[in-house]
């Protein structure tokens, strides 16, 4: 529905009506609006959609999700469930 | 890239898949509401690695696909007005209206320009004070706040050559419309991750409460989607539909209050025409009276004339998830990416384009 | 912009005796070689003489200057590469300019100087030229049409219809660099990045590949036969080129998505705009289809060349699903990789 890409905040300028800033999409930088992430600071990660940061990425939540998935992996190995072979088209 | 590559880890994906294969016993049908999910599911080939008991249907979650012909004809008519620069996201350029598209209008001399953000459209208005810059406002609750902010900025700068044709729509009403129509039995919905980043996971609680349908809000990486499918399988197997936030790094229960306040300040809710769903009450956003001078529909009253729809185009049914693209008589034979008849074939997010592009 | 002024500009930059004569046609000798133009009726004695490669192309890129190149360098490299893909040694080029009234002379000079430098780098001569000026608005600053002539060494038989099941598919480097560089300069999309166009002449890379094959134990001078097809994946990107070869050769193609080199900045720009690098234009890359026994020698030769450092085997030709390209995704699933039908546009949804 809406393309949103993670980006690291490089600069923040909250002087104008719309707070603006520069973000790095992993090798590509662009100026975006930070008005909708009032608490975002330099080095934070945000999701950017159509030139606007729409959320401040929660690092703990991200790490928790990944840890959860790794635990699921351990369960599978122990229970010996056969991994699905990818079907050919 | 941070927050991207980690959520594409093949080993973790296989872990999740193993769990889904083990846990899923009953045939279930989940709707991936959002075009972004449709695109990601095909791009990573997820359909092939999910168990046969899990069937995914695409829904009306692509703002391009749900734009009604009449609205598109109006946008094309505006683009043809002398002195107008019609700015739009790339998504809308090739969508066929009753008579041609914005792309064909451009080929015939209309000044149609593609932008990545409403702020780029605002910049064009500053750079061309002698022209009327109109922004084609498509998109759901994720995009509408960005347009609202651009309007407040234009107001503050006293820019009088920037207007918006608002075709923005709200997602919960569309979901209700599909479930009320009862044409497709869904045991779960993969919730749109970025819309929900704005409106909050709480906004989907009506699904389990009123319709007994589970909802798992998902991001757009393979692990995010598989986690949501795993959660929906869990709900279906236990018969306990609920709302699960499988995109917790971006989605919070209350959503993004700062953005919603600006959206509500500039827009008011009204009925809207959806392709495939018809007129849906309380589902569209129009500019409030205080911002009427930014409303292109008022500033440039055009009569685009009667709409014309290709009689056997079944994008509407595809959008409601009642049929899959190959069931449409035009699919692949007449309707192809080179000669799209309906919007679902044009938009890279549309179900038909995804089916055609990424194969059966 | 007077005619003499432009002529003096050409002569100063493309100075070679043939052009200097300013005849209507350049008469060029190809020393001691008898032509046998394939595909035309007439006597076809099995001669060992090389064949003539002939190509034409037009260049309308906007903006005309971009990081890593300009429309002039693009015109020369594109023409040189088209010839090189047939195995030919590029020799002579022509360049026809359509100039929009009001184009500053310094900009034209920069383009012409860049063409001269590119021609020298590709050791070709621009031996014929023409200039027409059109009213303002009738052209976007500058268009260039080129034609190119080269000679195909004896025994070299390359074509999109010659890929065979079992062939390895080698890509000479990262994809999407050119297309995303141009995209980053477009009004309304502007983003900044270290991206540069990969625009480069590939004639010497192809020569190195052919040289390394010649001694291969396939019979006297037959080593080059191990190379079946060379293509430069420009407009429509790698996916479109692979589909064209699959269709023309009547074969299937299997590609491993993980094996395809993509620069980090190109990946980020494509994520940002919702584009797929497999469909983005390249201007200094080639994809080779060769017999498996030639793979190691080819890879070594390519890695030793400045335009082949990141060469990689990205897949195989198969006898199954002929006419189709199948991509194996990092999750191990397989999906069809279709041809690009119409221009890929940035999207927000």
């Amino acid at each position: 529905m809406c393309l949103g890409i993670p980006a690291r905040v490089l600069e923040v300028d909250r002087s104008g009506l719309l707070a603006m800033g520069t973000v790095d999409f992993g090798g590509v930088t662009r100026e975006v609006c930070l008005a909708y992430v009032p608490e975002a600071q330099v080095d934070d990660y945000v999701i950017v959609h159509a030139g606007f940061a729409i959320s401040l990425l929660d690092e703990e939540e991200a790490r928790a999700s990944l840890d959860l998935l790794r635990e699921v992996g351990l369960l599978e190995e122990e229970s010996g469930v056969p991994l699905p072979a990818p079907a050919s088209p | 890239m941070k927050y991207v590559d980690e959520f594409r880890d093949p080993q973790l994906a296989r872990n999740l898949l193993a769990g889904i294969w083990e846990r899923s016993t009953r045939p279930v049908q989940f709707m991936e509401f959002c075009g972004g999910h449709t695109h990601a599911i095909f791009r990573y080939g997820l359909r092939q690695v999910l168990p046969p008991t899990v069937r995914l249907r695409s829904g009306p979650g692509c703002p391009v696909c749900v734009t009604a012909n009449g609205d598109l004809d109006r946008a094309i008519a505006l683009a043809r007005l002398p002195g107008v620069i019609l700015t739009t996201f790339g998504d809308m350029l090739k969508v066929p209206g009753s008579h041609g598209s914005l792309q064909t209008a451009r080929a015939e001399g209309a000044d149609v320009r593609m932008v990545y953000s409403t702020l780029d459209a605002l910049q064009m208005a500053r750079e061309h004070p002698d022209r009327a810059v109109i922004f084609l406002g498509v998109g759901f609750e994720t995009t509408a706040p960005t347009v609202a902010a651009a309007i407040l900025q234009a107001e503050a700068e006293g820019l009088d050559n920037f207007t918006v044709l608002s075709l923005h729509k709200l997602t919960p009403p569309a979901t209700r419309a599909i479930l009320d129509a009862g044409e497709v039995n869904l045991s779960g919905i993969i919730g749109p991750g970025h819309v929900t980043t704005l409106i909050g996971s709480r906004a989907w609680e009506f699904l389990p409460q009123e319709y007994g349908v589970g909802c798992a809000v998902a991001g757009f990486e393979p692990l995010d989607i598989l986690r949501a499918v795993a959660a929906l399988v869990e709900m279906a197997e236990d018969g306990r539909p609920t709302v699960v936030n499988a995109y917790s790094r971006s989605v919070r229960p209350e959503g993004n209050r700062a953005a919603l306040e600006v959206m509500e300040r500039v827009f008011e809710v009204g009925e809207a025409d959806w392709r495939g769903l018809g007129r849906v009450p309380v589902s569209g956003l129009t500019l409030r009276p205080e911002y009427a001078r930014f409303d292109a529909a008022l500033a440039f009253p055009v009569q685009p004339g009667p709409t014309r729809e290709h009689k056997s185009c079944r994008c509407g049914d595809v959008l409601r998830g009642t049929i899959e693209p190959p069931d449409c008589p035009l699919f692949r034979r007449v309707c192809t990416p080179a000669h799209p008849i309906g919007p679902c074939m044009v938009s890279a997010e549309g179900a038909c384009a995804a089916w055609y592009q990424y194969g059966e | 912009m007077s005619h003499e002024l432009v002529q003096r500009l050409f002569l100063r930059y493309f100075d070679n005796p043939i052009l200097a004569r300013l005849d209507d046609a350049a008469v060029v000798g190809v020393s001691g070689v008898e032509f046998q133009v394939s595909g035309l009726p007439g006597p076809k004695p099995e001669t060992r003489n090389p064949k003539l490669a002939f190509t034409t192309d037009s260049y309308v890129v906007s903006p005309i200057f971009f990081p890593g190149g300009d429309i002039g360098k693009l015109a020369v490299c594109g023409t040189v590469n088209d010839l090189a893909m047939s195995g030919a040694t590029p020799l002579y080029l022509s360049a026809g300019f359509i100039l929009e009234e009001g184009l500053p002379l310094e900009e034209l000079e920069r383009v012409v100087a860049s063409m001269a430098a590119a021609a020298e780098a590709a050791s070709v001569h621009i031996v014929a030229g023409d200039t027409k000026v059109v009213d303002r608005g009738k052209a976007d600053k500058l268009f260039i049409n080129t034609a190119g002539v080269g000679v195909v060494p004896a025994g070299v038989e390359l074509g999109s219809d010659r890929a065979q099941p079992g062939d390895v598919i080698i890509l000479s480097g990262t994809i999407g660099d050119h297309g995303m560089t141009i995209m980053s300069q477009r009004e309304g999309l502007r983003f900044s990045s270290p991206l540069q166009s990969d625009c480069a002449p590939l004639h010497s890379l192809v020569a190195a590949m052919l040289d390394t094959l010649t001694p291969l134990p396939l019979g006297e001078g037959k080593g080059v036969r191990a190379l079946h097809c060379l293509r430069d994946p420009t407009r429509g990107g790698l996916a479109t080129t692979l589909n064209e070869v699959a269709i023309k050769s009547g074969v299937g193609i299997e590609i491993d998505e993980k094996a395809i080199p993509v620069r980090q900045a190109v990946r980020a720009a494509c994520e940002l705009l919702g584009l797929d690098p497999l469909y983005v234009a390249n201007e200094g890359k080639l994809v080779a289809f060769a017999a498996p026994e030639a793979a190691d020698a080819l890879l070594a030769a390519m890695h030793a060349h400045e335009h082949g450092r990141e060469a990689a085997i990205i897949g195989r030709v198969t006898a199954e699903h002929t006419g189709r390209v199948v991509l194996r995704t990092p999750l191990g699933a397989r999906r069809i990789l279709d041809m690009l039908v119409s221009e890929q546009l940035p999207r927000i949804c």
Side-chain angles (χ1 to χ4, degrees), chain C residues 73-154:
Chain C
K73 180 181 176 187
L74 200 62
V76 171
C77 292
T79 312
V80 161
N81 291 349
D82 283 345
L83 293 171
M85 292 311 118
S86 67
T89 308
L91 297 174
Y92 302 106
L93 259 58
S94 77
F97 293 76
I98 297 178
L99 312 177
E100 182 185 21
E101 204 172 4
L103 174 73
L105 195 60
E106 312 76 41
E107 288 195 20
L108 177 61
E109 180 158 11
R110 258 177 80 190
V111 169
V112 171
S114 156
M115 285 183 82
E120 198 179 337
S123 39
V124 292
H125 296 290
I126 297 174
V127 295
D130 173 64
T131 312
K132 292 291 183 296
V133 177
V134 296
D135 297 344
R136 191 169 185 70
K138 290 288 180 293
D140 185 357
K141 284 199 165 192
L142 166 64
F143 296 151
I144 302 178
N145 174 272
T146 63
V149 164
V151 176
V152 181

Side-chain angles (χ1 to χ4, degrees), chain C residues 2 4 21 64 81 113 191 199 202 216 245 260 268 277 299 319 340:
Chain C
S2 75
E4 297 72 29
R21 292 185 15 194
I64 59 174
N81 291 349
F191 53 84
C199 179
L202 298 176
L216 273 186
V245 173
I260 300 172
L299 262 184
L340 183 72

Side-chain angles (χ1 to χ4, degrees), chain C residues 9 27-28 35 48 90-91 114-115 129 151 186-187 205 245 257 267 279 288 310-311 327 346:
Chain C
L9 190 69
V27 178
V28 295
F35 285 130
R48 292 186 44 72
L91 297 174
S114 156
M115 285 183 82
V151 176
R186 282 177 71 164
E187 185 201 27
L205 174 61
V245 173
E257 192 166 10
R267 200 184 295 282
Y279 293 103
E310 290 150 307
L327 191 75

Side-chain angles (χ1 to χ4, degrees), chain B residues 1 8 10 13 39 42-46 48-49 62-63 89-91 93-94 113-116 120 124 143 222 332 337-338 348-349 356-360, chain C residues 186-190 257 264 267-268 271-274 276-277 279 324 329-339 341-349:
Chain B
M1 284 181 299
R8 291 182 181 175
H39 191 263
F42 273 109
R43 176 178 171 186
Y44 295 103
L46 297 185
Q48 292 151 31
V49 289
C62 136
F89 294 127
D91 312 54
L93 216 55
K94 292 189 270 192
R113 301 188 198 183
M114 210 171 28
V115 291
Y116 162 71
D120 298 320
M124 281 184 198
T143 318
R332 205 177 276 287
E349 303 278 312
Y356 187 95
Q357 162 95 351
Y358 294 112
E360 305 71 38
Chain C
R186 282 177 71 164
E187 185 201 27
L189 300 179
R190 247 180 292 285
E257 192 166 10
Q264 172 52 35
R267 200 184 295 282
E271 292 284 343
L272 174 64
L273 299 173
D276 184 344
Y279 293 103
R324 278 266 188 225
T329 74
L331 297 188
R334 292 148 60 85
R335 67 170 169 93
I336 288 175
L337 183 63
D338 221 322
M339 198 178 272
V341 170
S342 56
E343 191 200 355
Q344 211 190 186
L345 294 173
R347 55 191 178 87
I348 58 121
C349 136

Side-chain angles (χ1 to χ4, degrees), chain C residues 54-77:
Chain C
F54 184 57
T55 185
T56 182
D57 213 331
S58 298
Y59 299 85
V60 294
V61 67
S62 171
I64 59 174
F65 298 105
F66 44 84
D70 58 72
I71 191 169
K73 180 181 176 187
L74 200 62
V76 171
C77 292

Side-chain angles (χ1 to χ4, degrees), chain C residues 10-11 13-23 26 126-129:
Chain C
F10 280 163
L11 293 182
Y13 283 96
F14 303 153
D15 66 346
N16 61 64
I18 302 167
L19 184 67
R21 292 185 15 194
L22 290 180
D23 292 338
I126 297 174
V127 295

